[in-house]
């Protein structure tokens, strides 16, 4: 099992950025999803994060990351119905600084992948920035990948409708992935990883098999 | 492994739930499954992706199909793809390549979009060492699947494949059946039956019962011999002239099995059935069309010979036939059965020529095959193992004894000229001890069973594998019935047989310490007959005699035992696969020796085996050790201590 704990800072800073012409199946990915206090971009805080690593198209079940965080603010009750994290769960969460430190090790050198990942990146950058670090891994939005693939393959009447409904369950279902509606950060990260796994093969088949080519239309 | 452990359960929970239905992982406790899940990866292969390719690189993981399916195939020397197996959801692949740690022998590719979990090779090794259920499951799979693979290796090495022979093994009966089965009911008058047959353009007619199952067959010959020649009234029911039972093969069987059926029943028509119902007919003519050089042709060639020299020349052709049979995928037991069939025909022909030379026998006799010939297990290395039983009416009559003395001498000489050297142990009809009236034979068996000793058990081993080869079968049947009766109270005899059966232990330390011959001509070699096939033959014989199974062939004995209640079926199945495997290795090695112009022997050099073959052989030896310990527990008697010397 790959260790992401205990990486030295020296090693961390030495990690090279992935090359633009790197084939998609040669890269290390971390597919992630977060649960937040709200969707308010300026004020929301991180509640939990789930992430799973991939080596190319291979999903590493042994490299998972899941933490519930205590952001130190009151959690609005309404969110419980969505993400299932009760106020007491959040209170028992781990300190933000510690989780962020572990997370940075886990993400190191990886291309980040997520569905509408800009939302997750926004909150992570705020939290990490607050701790005096930056998060500048390249990031791929599977929703954008899906839209690009649709535009380049589908010619049906329903294209407009399909482009409107880009939520994860709908897109996952269109890729014939079976799943249960969970809204758990790790579960959703895993589902997104399975989606990205299939997309890698699709993109390669469409001669769009390098990181640079994908980032042109799917950068978050 | 995962950190924090509780949080991993969301994703791994799904994996664990899946593994709980996949053998052998289902035998593991949940906690072990969760730990295992945390070492796995999930892979996606679009349709037609080549997942593993035959080549020098061994698979580094075990694959479990989660969704979809894969095919295992290889390319023949002529570039044709042969699909050997498919694996679907919940099945595993990549294991043999992984355990052999040598080259992958087969291509594996996705039949449809396929998701697979993978487990790293070292985790699989770890699981196998920690959990015996996992090891047993994996190793059993590898033993029983080995044969196909080994034969395929041979095929791959082969460049001269006759199309005709290949068809015998690659086509199913359904592929070649052309004629429809023409049928009528039992009470159909003979004349009407003849009309039905000619209207159907057929050369044979199947007589069926009310349930549609064939009860008998009527051919042109029957109408000529039983109706016209005898003046049978044409309004008699057809079942009075039919021959029964009908020899049938199912549509899905391979054509080779038709050949075996035709050879062993000496018939020209085989009924093709589907779910027991007649659907077609295959004739020897159909098979002739499929092949040039073939076992059937060889048998026919033997039958045509009128001189010993002609027979000798015909027998040599079996040496050409065996490599062909091996290359084209016959199992070891198929091959030895074909050899036995040819040997029997040669024997029958020799006795026919003897009758021309010496005149009719004064009393009925039965020529029996014994030992490996009796078990239909001879390979390239054949010698004479036979005996003669004659009717008690001839007992004590000098002219009868004189006739059979001359007959046996004629046969022994003819067999030697035909390439069957005399038996070292003198187990031959030429030896007066094994050329006796029925009553004497019965007294022999009685003595073996009631007064068993270590020394007499050697003889018993040879003659308890007795099989009639030619002559009056009733004599053999009387002897066999008498023997079966004696065996019901033969506890001590069985105990002696058991002692002999476990005398030669398999070399379990073979691969660690190279337990092979240490000196002499065969230094550093393994006698695969003495330590491998021999102990299985002995175990199968003992268990068969004990259970009243009448077969003499080891594979038949084990298969028959397997179907009986109260038997260790898994072990019997392993032994059967092990026997096929070891016999095949022996055949392979003998074929190599024959090609190098050396006399075929039973020694193999361990360094010539692949890792996979060594691993499989080790499993075979372990199966032998298991049956030997069962035999010891069941048949051990206090007298064993005196049997030693």
């Amino acid at each position: 099992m790959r260790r992401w704990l205990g990486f030295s800072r020296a090693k961390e800073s030495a990690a090279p950025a992935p090359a633009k012409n790197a084939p998609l199946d040669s890269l290390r990915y971390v597919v992630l999803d977060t649960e937040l206090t709200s969707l308010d971009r300026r004020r929301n805080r991180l509640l939990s994060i789930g992430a799973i690593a991939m080596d190319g198209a291979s999903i590493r079940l042994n490299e998972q990351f899941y933490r519930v965080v205590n952001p130190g603010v009151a959690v609005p009750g309404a969110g419980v119905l969505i993400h299932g994290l009760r106020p007491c769960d959040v209170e028992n969460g781990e300190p933000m600084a510690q989780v962020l430190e572990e997370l940075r090790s886990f993400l190191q050198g990886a291309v980040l992948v997520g569905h509408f990942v800009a939302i997750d990146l926004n909150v992570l950058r705020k939290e990490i920035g607050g701790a005096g670090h930056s998060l500048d891994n390249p990031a791929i939005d599977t929703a954008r990948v899906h839209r690009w693939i649709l535009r380049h393959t589908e010619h049906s009447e329903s294209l407009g409708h399909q482009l409107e409904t880009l939520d994860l369950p709908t897109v996952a279902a269109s890729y014939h992935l079976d799943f249960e509606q969970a809204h758990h950060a790790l579960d959703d990260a895993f589902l997104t990883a399975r989606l990205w796994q299939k997309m890698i093969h699709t993109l390669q088949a469409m001669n769009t098999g390098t990181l640079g080519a994908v980032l042109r239309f799917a950068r978050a | 492994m995962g950190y924090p452990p509780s949080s991993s359960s969301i994703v791994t929970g799904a994996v664990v739930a899946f593994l709980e239905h996949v053998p052998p992982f289902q035998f593991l406790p949940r906690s072990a499954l969760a730990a295992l899940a945390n070492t796995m990866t999930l892979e996606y292969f679009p349709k037609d992706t080549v997942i593993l390719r035959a080549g020098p690189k061994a698979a580094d993981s075990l694959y479990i199909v989660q969704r979809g399916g894969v095919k295992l195939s290889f390319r023949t020397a002529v570039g044709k793809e042969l699909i050997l197996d498919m694996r679907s959801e919940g099945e595993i692949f990549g294991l043999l390549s992984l355990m052999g740690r040598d080259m992958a022998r087969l291509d594996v590719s996705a039949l449809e979009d396929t998701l697979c979990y993978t487990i790293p090779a070292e985790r699989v090794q770890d699981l196998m060492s920690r959990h015996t259920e996992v090891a047993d499951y994996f190793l059993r799979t590898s033993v029983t699947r080995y044969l196909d693979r080994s034969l395929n290796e041979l095929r791959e090495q082969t460049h001269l494949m006759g199309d005709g022979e290949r068809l015998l093994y690659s086509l199913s009966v359904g592929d070649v059946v052309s004629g429809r089965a023409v049928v009528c009911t039992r009470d159909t008058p003979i004349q009407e039956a003849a009309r039905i047959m000619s209207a159907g353009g057929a050369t044979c007619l199947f007589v069926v019962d009310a349930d549609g199952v064939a009860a008998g067959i009527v051919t042109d010959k029957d109408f000529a011999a039983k109706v016209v020649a005898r003046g049978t009234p044409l309004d008699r029911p057809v079942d009075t002239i039919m021959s029964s039972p009908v020899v049938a093969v199912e549509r899905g069987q391979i054509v080779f099995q038709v050949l075996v059926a035709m050879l062993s029943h000496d018939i020209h028509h085989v009924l093709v059935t589907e779910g027991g119902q007649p659907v077609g007919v295959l004739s020897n003519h159909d098979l002739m069309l499929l092949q040039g050089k073939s076992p059937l042709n060889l048998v026919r060639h033997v039958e045509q010979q009128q001189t010993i020299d002609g027979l000798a020349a015909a027998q040599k052709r079996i040496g050409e036939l065996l490599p062909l049979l091996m290359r084209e995928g016959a199992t070891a037991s198929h091959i030895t059965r074909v050899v036995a069939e040819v040997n029997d025909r040669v024997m029958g022909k020799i006795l026919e020529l003897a009758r021309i030379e010496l005149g009719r026998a004064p009393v009925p006799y039965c020529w029996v095959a014994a030992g490996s010939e009796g078990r239909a297990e001879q390979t390239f290395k054949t010698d004479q193992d036979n005996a003669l039983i004659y009717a008690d009416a001839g007992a004590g009559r000098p002219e009868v004894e004189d006739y059979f003395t001359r007959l046996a001498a004629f046969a022994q000489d003819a067999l030697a000229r035909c390439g069957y050297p005399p038996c070292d142990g003198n187990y031959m009809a030429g030896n007066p001890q094994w050329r006796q009236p029925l009553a004497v034979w019965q007294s022999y068996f009685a003595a073996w069973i009631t007064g068993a000793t270590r020394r007499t058990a050697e003889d018993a081993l040879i003659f308890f594998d007795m099989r009639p080869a030619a002559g009056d079968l009733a004599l053999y049947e009387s002897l066999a019935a008498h023997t079966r009766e004696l065996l019901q109270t033969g506890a001590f005899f069985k105990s002696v047989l058991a002692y002999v059966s476990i005398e030669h232990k398999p070399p379990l330390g073979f691969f660690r310490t190279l337990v092979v011959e240490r000196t002499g001509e065969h230094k550093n070699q393994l006698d695969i007959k003495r330590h491998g096939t021999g102990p299985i033959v002995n175990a199968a014989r003992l268990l068969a005699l004990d259970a009243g199974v009448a077969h003499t062939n080891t594979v038949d004995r084990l298969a028959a035992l397997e179907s009986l209640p109260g038997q260790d079926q898994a072990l019997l199945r392993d032994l059967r696969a092990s026997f096929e495997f070891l016999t095949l290795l022996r055949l392979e090695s003998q074929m190599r020796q024959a090609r190098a112009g050396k006399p075929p022997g039973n020694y193999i050099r361990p360094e010539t085996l692949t890792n996979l073959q060594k691993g499989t052989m080790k499993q075979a030896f372990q199966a032998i050790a298991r049956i030997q310990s069962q035999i010891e527990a069941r048949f051990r008697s206090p007298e064993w201590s005196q049997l030693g010397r």
Side-chain angles (χ1 to χ4, degrees), chain A residues 58-59 61-62 67 197 201, chain B residues 3 38 40-44:
Chain A
S58 173
I59 299 175
L61 296 175
N62 57 334
R67 301 286 188 282
Q197 182 179 53
H201 287 281
Chain B
Y3 175 77
N38 281 327
M40 290 163 54
T41 71
L42 177 63
E43 310 284 346
Y44 171 64

Side-chain angles (χ1 to χ4, degrees), chain A residues 155-167:
Chain A
H155 302 284
S156 68
E157 308 295 319
S158 63
L159 184 59
H161 174 70
Q162 288 187 41
L163 288 175
E164 282 166 27
T165 48
L166 290 174
D167 62 285

Side-chain angles (χ1 to χ4, degrees), chain B residues 325-375:
Chain B
L325 288 171
M326 287 187 66
R327 281 181 199 133
E328 287 158 27
T331 63
S333 58
H334 268 147
I335 293 169
T336 57
R337 266 177 241 248
V338 168
V339 172
E341 194 61 39
V342 173
N343 290 351
D344 284 4
R345 297 307 175 104
V346 170
M347 192 63 235
K349 204 67 198 181
I350 287 173
L351 294 175
E352 212 178 292
L353 295 173
R355 203 182 68 172
I356 295 168
E357 182 88 14
L358 309 171
R360 276 181 77 88
V363 295
Y365 73 94
C366 184
W367 189 274
V368 295
S372 62
E373 184 70 48
R375 295 191 304 272

Side-chain angles (χ1 to χ4, degrees), chain B residues 268-598:
Chain B
H268 300 279
H269 294 89
V270 169
L271 175 66
V272 178
T273 56
E274 191 161 14
Q277 300 288 315
V279 292
V281 59
L282 263 184
S283 68
N284 58 341
H285 180 70
D286 294 325
L287 292 194
M288 300 259 299
L289 292 178
L290 277 177
Q291 49 181 30
K293 196 192 283 174
S294 76
L296 200 59
N297 281 4
L298 178 52
V299 166
R300 193 164 295 126
H301 190 62
V302 166
E303 294 288 345
Q304 286 161 356
Q305 298 312 310
Q306 297 304 324
T307 64
I308 300 296
D309 288 334
L311 275 180
Q315 198 277 340
K316 286 210 174 62
R317 286 178 51 187
I318 198 161
E320 306 162 18
L321 189 62
L322 290 202
L324 274 177
L325 288 171
M326 287 187 66
R327 281 181 199 133
E328 287 158 27
T331 63
S333 58
H334 268 147
I335 293 169
T336 57
R337 266 177 241 248
V338 168
V339 172
E341 194 61 39
V342 173
N343 290 351
D344 284 4
R345 297 307 175 104
V346 170
M347 192 63 235
K349 204 67 198 181
I350 287 173
L351 294 175
E352 212 178 292
L353 295 173
R355 203 182 68 172
I356 295 168
E357 182 88 14
L358 309 171
R360 276 181 77 88
V363 295
Y365 73 94
C366 184
W367 189 274
V368 295
S372 62
E373 184 70 48
R375 295 191 304 272
E377 285 164 10
Q378 292 215 328
T379 55
F380 287 87
K381 187 177 159 66
T382 51
D383 58 5
Q384 297 184 30
D385 276 337
N386 53 50
L388 192 149
I389 308 166
Y390 59 90
D392 287 333
R397 286 163 53 192
E399 80 280 13
V400 172
E401 284 173 20
D402 178 55
Y403 177 89
F404 288 121
T405 303
R406 285 185 295 134
L407 177 73
F410 180 94
Q412 186 169 325
D413 172 59
L415 283 168
R417 282 164 66 191
C418 287
Y420 306 93
C423 166
D424 293 341
N426 209 5
Y427 292 110
M428 293 181 292
N431 178 350
Q433 195 182 355
W434 311 129
R435 185 177 73 240
Q436 292 290 339
L438 176 61
V440 175
W441 275 106
Q442 288 174 334
S443 72
Y444 284 170
F445 276 86
W448 284 325
I449 292 170
T450 55
T453 68
R454 172 72 189 78
R455 217 205 63 71
T456 62
E458 294 288 343
D459 297 343
L461 292 184
I462 300 287
F463 290 106
F464 273 85
D465 295 341
M466 187 184 272
R467 177 174 63 86
D472 185 355
L473 295 189
L475 287 166
Y476 164 82
E477 290 298 340
S478 311
L479 180 56
H482 173 256
T483 305
R484 272 197 297 277
E485 205 166 301
L486 289 172
L487 275 175
Q488 285 174 2
T489 53
F492 177 63
F493 170 67
K494 289 172 197 167
S495 167
V496 174
L497 273 196
Y499 179 84
V500 176
S501 296
I502 65 171
E503 223 170 9
H504 293 299
K505 306 276 193 220
L508 287 179
F510 184 40
F511 300 107
R512 281 194 295 277
T513 55
L514 232 63
V515 178
V516 286
E517 303 293 314
R518 297 209 179 276
T519 54
E521 190 192 348
H522 299 292
K523 192 177 175 192
N524 292 334
Q525 297 181 30
L526 171 76
D527 185 337
I528 198 168
K529 185 178 175 189
R530 185 190 184 97
H531 295 290
T533 52
I536 301 181
V537 165
N538 286 338
R541 179 192 303 107
L542 170 63
L543 297 176
L545 292 179
D546 184 51
V549 166
H551 296 285
T552 59
N553 180 267
T554 299
V555 168
D556 288 346
R557 278 171 168 166
L558 292 170
L561 285 164
E562 234 176 87
S563 64
L564 297 178
Q567 298 284 344
D568 185 340
Q569 283 158 348
L571 179 53
L572 290 166
R573 202 165 46 236
D574 275 6
L575 281 173
R576 195 147 56 94
S578 299
F579 186 74
E580 291 273 15
F581 166 72
L582 294 169
T583 305
L584 191 84
L585 272 186
R586 198 169 145 222
L587 278 167
E588 280 177 300
S589 147
Q590 291 185 350
M591 198 170 80
R592 267 202 305 277
Q593 289 162 339
R595 226 186 270 136
K598 293 180 194 155

Side-chain angles (χ1 to χ4, degrees), chain B residues 52-211:
Chain B
L52 296 175
R53 197 181 286 282
K57 194 169 169 289
D60 52 7
S61 303
L62 176 72
Y63 293 74
I64 313 167
V65 180
Q66 194 238 349
R67 269 298 176 86
V70 300
K71 66 177 177 192
L72 283 60
S73 63
F74 78 88
R75 260 177 212 290
T76 61
V78 291
K80 186 174 178 262
E81 186 193 50
L82 269 177
I83 297 179
L84 293 176
D85 207 348
M86 310 210 192
R87 302 286 153 80
S88 58
E89 291 171 19
E91 293 190 293
I92 56 185
F93 64 91
L95 178 72
L96 279 173
S97 160
L98 188 152
M99 291 207 316
R101 288 153 172 262
D102 52 10
M103 55 191 288
R105 313 278 161 112
L106 301 171
D107 284 336
V108 180
S109 51
L111 281 169
E112 52 190 299
D113 290 354
T114 298
L115 288 165
C116 294
Y117 289 117
T118 73
I119 305 176
E122 61 274 14
R123 268 303 279 168
V124 176
Q125 303 286 5
D126 181 48
L127 274 181
M128 286 173 61
S129 63
R130 281 169 197 267
H131 301 278
T132 51
E133 319 89 298
V134 174
D136 283 350
Y137 181 86
F138 281 151
L139 296 173
R140 174 156 315 138
T141 308
S142 78
V143 171
T144 50
R145 289 201 172 144
Y146 174 74
L147 284 177
D148 282 350
R149 294 174 58 88
S150 181
L151 283 164
N152 291 329
E153 278 180 38
L154 272 174
R155 285 190 197 133
E156 280 176 286
Q157 291 159 4
T158 300
H159 296 279
L160 42 116
M161 226 193 275
D163 275 344
E165 278 81 14
R166 180 167 44 199
L167 293 174
L168 279 177
Y169 303 100
S170 56
L171 292 181
S172 75
V173 171
D175 291 331
V176 296
V177 64
S178 53
R180 277 173 41 82
V182 177
V183 302
C184 70
T185 55
R186 275 175 180 275
D187 55 359
T188 311
I190 289 172
Q191 187 166 26
E192 173 66 5
R195 201 196 56 71
I196 292 173
M197 188 169 108
S198 64
T203 55
C204 67
L205 176 71
F206 293 98
V207 181
V208 295
D209 284 324
D211 56 5

Side-chain angles (χ1 to χ4, degrees), chain A residues 60-168:
Chain A
R60 313 292 309 181
L61 296 175
N62 57 334
E63 295 178 52
Q64 304 170 14
F65 187 92
Y66 181 71
R67 301 286 188 282
V68 176
V69 190
N70 185 349
V73 298
V75 178
V80 174
L81 295 179
I82 298 170
H83 49 61
L85 293 172
R86 300 160 301 173
C88 61
D89 295 325
V90 175
E91 271 165 38
N92 291 330
E94 296 173 57
M96 182 69 81
Q98 178 195 324
V99 171
L100 292 177
E101 193 54 34
E102 291 169 0
L103 180 66
R104 286 177 58 253
S105 291
F106 189 59
L107 301 184
Q108 185 210 347
V111 175
L112 307 186
V113 178
H115 205 69
F116 292 119
V117 74
I119 297 169
D120 310 286
L121 289 178
N122 171 63
V123 79
L124 289 177
R125 284 184 178 133
K126 275 195 302 181
E127 303 283 11
I128 288 176
H133 292 283
S134 64
L135 178 65
D136 44 21
N137 306 45
I140 294 170
D141 181 353
T142 47
R144 290 185 183 210
V145 174
H146 180 60
R147 189 160 56 200
W148 185 86
I149 290 173
L150 276 184
R151 286 202 174 121
H152 287 79
T153 52
E154 298 269 328
H155 302 284
S156 68
E157 308 295 319
S158 63
L159 184 59
H161 174 70
Q162 288 187 41
L163 288 175
E164 282 166 27
T165 48
L166 290 174
D167 62 285
L168 182 60

